[in-house]
Amino acid sequence: MRVTISFEVAPFLRWFKNYDRDKFLRDAIAGLTVAAVLVPQSMAYALLAGMPPIYGLYASFLPTILAAMFGSSRFLATGPVAMTALLSASVLYGFAEPGSEKWINLMGVLALMVGFIRLTIGLLKLGFVVELISTSVITGFVSAGALVIALSQTGHLLGFKITQSTLIYQVVVDIFSKIEKVNPYTVGIGILAYAIIWLSKKIHPLVPGALLSVIITSLLTYFFDLERFGVAIVGQVPQGIPMPSLPSADYSTIASLWGGAMVVAAFGLIEAVAIAKRLAVQSGDRWDANQELIGQGIANIVAGIFKGFPVGGSFSRSALNFQLNAKTPLASFITGSVVGITLIILAPAFYYLPKATLSAIVLSAVISLIKPQEIVKLYKINKVDGLVAGATFVSVFFMELWVALTLGTLIALGSFVYKTMYPRLVVLTRNPQSHTFVNAERERLPECPQILYIRPNMPIYFANAEYVYEYVLEKVRERKERGSLKFLLFDMEAVQYMDATGAYTLIRLFDELRRQKVEPAMANIACDVYPILERIGFERHIDTDLIFDSKGHSIVELFKRLDHEYCAKKCPYAVFRECYSVKPTEFKPVVAL
């Protein structure tokens, strides 16, 4: 693996080659339409992060613009995302009270940490690390996370305060204990807002249902003075763009946040990379995962400096950009600029916005993500993947979100390592009809009594080296009991990697074989593996004349060294073509076991 650092200063400039009026019109339409969705969504997602609604707009202004300018996708819409917002909140629970000054400050610190991690990964071109979180983990986590999000909004929809937690059982218990406090006016506003969004989608996907619900419910609250009936509203909203400031925290707090920051960074990267890749493939655009990570890193650093919280790529808003055929990142620049204008001019207009409306916006975005049936589908395809997804889903009921995601990832990686600890080792023989080498035990074909031919089917490393050692010696013991074993032919064709432990174990195996009067031989050593064996001096533990380039060559040379008298008088098989050269003329071989 080579690590290099590279940075394209202005990647957005390549989009403006041959830019014309038609392209600008497309960008303007896309930018304004996405802004109509982003403004209410960002305020709603701020509540998920435990932040006042206005901070969602802070996180949607410059971060949206800079992510587009320094990313590689013309479609990826960056800003507050439901799952990332809730995941960020789960990291901070226990450090401060949601919505407090300390919480807001720590959310800025977390955004800086997430941005630093993403930027570093992008600059070092290490984007492949996001693949460590498997699809099965994401499937279980997204379903459970969406359920947590839905439950977290229940309080705003029913009109009473519920416990701030990502532990599902705690929230459910708290909701039922306070169910008598339901405010019918708040419920009515929530249902109306959700209905407006739902009907808007039915009319046309481009109808800004979230914005319409904000306008209609705000007007109803104002004209009918619904605040007097207990309907919670956003209230006083500060006007203008916040001054940049560097959030700070003590050393012990920062040290405690690193684990959660890495999980938020990794999950957000998976979202952004997956969205950008999918849309780039569909449109035939050039796409660079590492450049995308640089853009995401810069966006989060700026979000931390301008009183925001961790942001990521939004699938719904990116899909909208794609549907409207945005031509360049200027579309997202326009989206972010509209948010900036909203902060400067329109912020006071959100005074009468009901919080129940914001919750309805969140619900409309995540309700379709609750898909436990996907876990069942995964289980039917591959039981291990299904179990990993199920374990991740269930763990969210009892753990913080970021811990559950980490646990799911560890289980997935652990299951993979466990499988590689017991690699498939195949005993080979030649098929007398096809004259190809096949699995002797599966095909129930005879093997040469004097040659044990084994092929490992995966890399040999510290976790499985001892298993390979014991397996081979057990096969040698069995063969020596049945016949006159002279050679072990170790086919390295499928061994494309070997670490020091694997190499030393192989040497130990060869020494033990020679002690038992069985000569080791090797074939098809990969060019990446040979230097490792050379450096530990494996030539001193094996006859170099018994190192071959191919299966055929190895059989020809080993056959010359066999006990041909044993072949002629005692061996009932003719495994190789060469066998007939030493057999009696009337010999009829046993061809199957």
Side-chain angles (χ1 to χ4, degrees):
M1 181 182 72
R2 296 181 61 189
V3 176
T4 57
I5 298 177
S6 64
F7 180 71
E8 191 176 353
V9 178
F12 55 90
L13 291 178
R14 66 173 178 268
W15 293 105
F16 294 99
K17 186 178 180 180
N18 302 320
Y19 197 71
D20 55 28
R21 181 179 178 181
D22 181 63
K23 289 182 178 179
F24 174 76
L25 186 61
R26 288 282 185 182
D27 285 340
I29 292 172
L32 292 171
T33 305
V34 173
V37 175
L38 176 59
V39 169
Q41 262 192 4
S42 64
M43 298 179 73
Y45 295 161
L47 292 179
L48 281 178
M51 305 281 280
I54 190 64
Y55 286 80
L57 296 179
Y58 297 158
S60 303
F61 173 37
L62 288 177
T64 298
I65 294 172
L66 292 172
M69 290 176 64
F70 292 97
S72 70
S73 172
R74 58 176 161 144
F75 301 119
L76 184 65
T78 300
V81 182
M83 208 64 70
T84 299
L86 191 68
L87 195 57
S88 300
S90 78
V91 174
L92 294 188
Y93 284 137
F95 288 94
E97 181 67 23
S100 65
E101 284 299 320
K102 184 178 180 181
W103 178 277
I104 293 170
N105 179 70
L106 287 179
M107 197 61 82
V109 172
L110 184 62
L112 285 177
M113 295 168 76
V114 169
F116 173 78
I117 294 168
R118 294 183 184 177
L119 182 61
T120 302
I121 292 173
L123 289 174
L124 297 180
K125 295 187 177 298
L126 299 176
F128 62 87
V129 299
V130 301
E131 302 298 333
L132 292 176
I133 302 183
S134 71
T135 303
S136 55
V137 174
I138 297 300
T139 299
F141 175 78
V142 168
S143 285
L147 183 58
V148 172
I149 290 173
L151 286 172
S152 71
Q153 299 308 297
T154 307
H156 291 305
L157 287 170
L158 297 180
F160 55 80
K161 188 175 181 180
I162 61 173
T163 184
Q164 296 289 317
S165 174
T166 58
L167 302 179
I168 292 176
Y169 79 94
Q170 279 190 357
V171 177
V172 171
V173 169
D174 191 54
I175 290 171
F176 279 104
S177 68
K178 299 174 180 176
I179 199 69
E180 73 280 355
K181 297 181 180 180
V182 170
N183 185 310
Y185 296 97
T186 301
V187 173
I189 286 291
I191 293 174
L192 176 62
Y194 191 89
I196 292 169
I197 298 169
W198 183 80
L199 284 171
S200 298
K201 290 179 181 178
K202 292 295 182 182
I203 295 170
H204 195 280
L206 297 183
V207 176
L211 185 62
L212 288 175
S213 68
V214 166
I215 295 172
I216 293 171
T217 57
S218 296
L219 290 174
L220 286 173
T221 303
Y222 172 75
F223 285 112
F224 291 97
D225 194 15
L226 295 182
E227 187 182 5
R228 182 166 54 91
F229 297 99
V231 174
I233 59 175
V234 169
Q236 192 65 44
V237 177
Q239 193 171 3
I241 297 167
M243 292 298 293
S245 62
L246 200 64
S248 61
D250 58 81
Y251 177 81
S252 61
T253 301
I254 292 176
S256 300
L257 290 178
W258 272 115
M262 292 179 71
V263 174
V264 174
F267 182 78
L269 287 185
I270 291 173
E271 280 189 311
V273 168
I275 296 165
K277 181 179 180 179
R278 177 175 173 181
L279 297 180
V281 169
Q282 288 182 345
S283 62
D285 285 348
R286 171 192 168 198
W287 178 72
D288 183 346
N290 294 298
Q291 187 64 45
E292 206 62 70
L293 302 189
I294 291 172
Q296 292 293 307
I298 293 173
N300 277 276
I301 290 172
V302 171
I305 294 174
F306 282 88
K307 298 185 180 299
F309 49 89
V311 296
S314 164
F315 182 79
S316 60
R317 298 194 298 272
S318 300
L320 193 55
N321 262 335
F322 179 79
Q323 187 177 357
L324 293 167
N325 197 20
K327 295 298 183 180
T328 70
L330 183 62
S332 290
F333 185 93
I334 293 171
T335 298
S337 299
V338 170
V339 175
I341 293 171
T342 302
L343 281 167
I344 295 170
I345 300 175
L346 301 177
F350 294 112
Y351 182 93
Y352 288 99
L353 173 59
K355 290 185 177 180
T357 300
L358 296 178
S359 293
I361 293 171
V362 172
L363 277 178
S364 67
V366 303
I367 202 75
S368 62
L369 298 178
I370 305 174
K371 296 179 179 178
Q373 68 272 18
E374 290 295 321
I375 299 174
V376 177
K377 183 178 178 181
L378 264 181
Y379 183 82
K380 290 178 180 178
I381 297 171
N382 184 296
K383 288 186 178 181
V384 173
D385 286 336
L387 290 173
V388 168
T392 306
F393 181 87
V394 172
S395 63
V396 173
F397 284 74
F398 309 100
M399 301 178 185
E400 296 292 356
L401 279 179
W402 75 273
V403 178
L405 184 58
T406 303
L407 177 64
T409 303
L410 291 176
I411 293 173
L413 291 174
S415 65
F416 170 76
V417 171
Y418 179 79
K419 283 184 286 187
T420 64
M421 288 176 67
Y422 302 97
R424 186 163 174 253
L425 288 96
V426 181
V427 177
L428 297 176
T429 190
R430 190 188 288 272
N431 187 307
Q433 295 177 331
S434 65
H435 303 295
T436 58
F437 287 96
V438 296
N439 187 327
E441 295 170 330
R442 184 185 64 198
E443 303 292 334
R444 299 185 63 80
L445 292 173
E447 309 161 44
C448 173
Q450 299 186 66
I451 301 175
L452 174 58
Y453 191 176
I454 293 181
R455 182 185 67 201
N457 275 356
M458 64 174 57
I460 300 175
Y461 71 115
F462 67 91
N464 64 22
E466 195 62 28
Y467 173 78
V468 173
Y469 177 86
E470 295 293 342
Y471 178 92
V472 173
L473 287 184
E474 179 62 23
K475 289 295 179 183
V476 168
R477 183 188 64 78
E478 292 175 2
R479 289 291 297 276
K480 289 186 73 174
E481 288 178 355
R482 300 201 311 261
S484 179
L485 182 63
K486 291 179 66 69
F487 296 100
L488 167 76
L489 177 55
F490 208 64
D491 190 343
M492 301 281 286
E493 183 177 31
V495 181
Q496 299 300 313
Y497 170 76
M498 181 180 289
D499 68 357
T501 302
Y504 278 119
T505 303
L506 199 60
I507 295 305
R508 184 159 59 92
L509 173 63
F510 290 168
D511 289 342
E512 177 60 24
L513 290 172
R514 300 182 90 174
R515 190 185 68 78
Q516 296 186 26
K517 308 301 182 185
V518 176
E519 278 295 320
M522 300 179 75
N524 299 312
I525 304 176
C527 58
D528 291 333
V529 173
Y530 198 94
I532 296 171
L533 295 172
E534 249 187 341
R535 286 193 285 269
I536 65 170
F538 83 116
E539 297 94 342
R540 298 192 301 270
H541 304 267
I542 186 173
D543 184 347
T544 53
D545 291 335
L546 298 181
I547 300 174
F548 307 106
D549 294 330
S550 67
K551 295 180 178 71
H553 183 216
S554 63
I555 296 302
V556 169
E557 294 301 320
L558 289 180
F559 187 80
K560 294 176 183 178
R561 299 169 182 245
L562 297 183
D563 181 351
H564 292 162
E565 184 176 352
Y566 178 90
C567 294
K569 295 180 179 181
K570 296 182 179 180
C571 179
Y573 313 122
V575 176
F576 312 118
R577 289 190 296 267
E578 293 82 358
C579 294
Y580 290 99
S581 65
V582 298
K583 297 288 188 181
T585 306
E586 68 280 2
F587 175 74
K588 297 294 184 183
V590 175
V591 297
L593 299 177

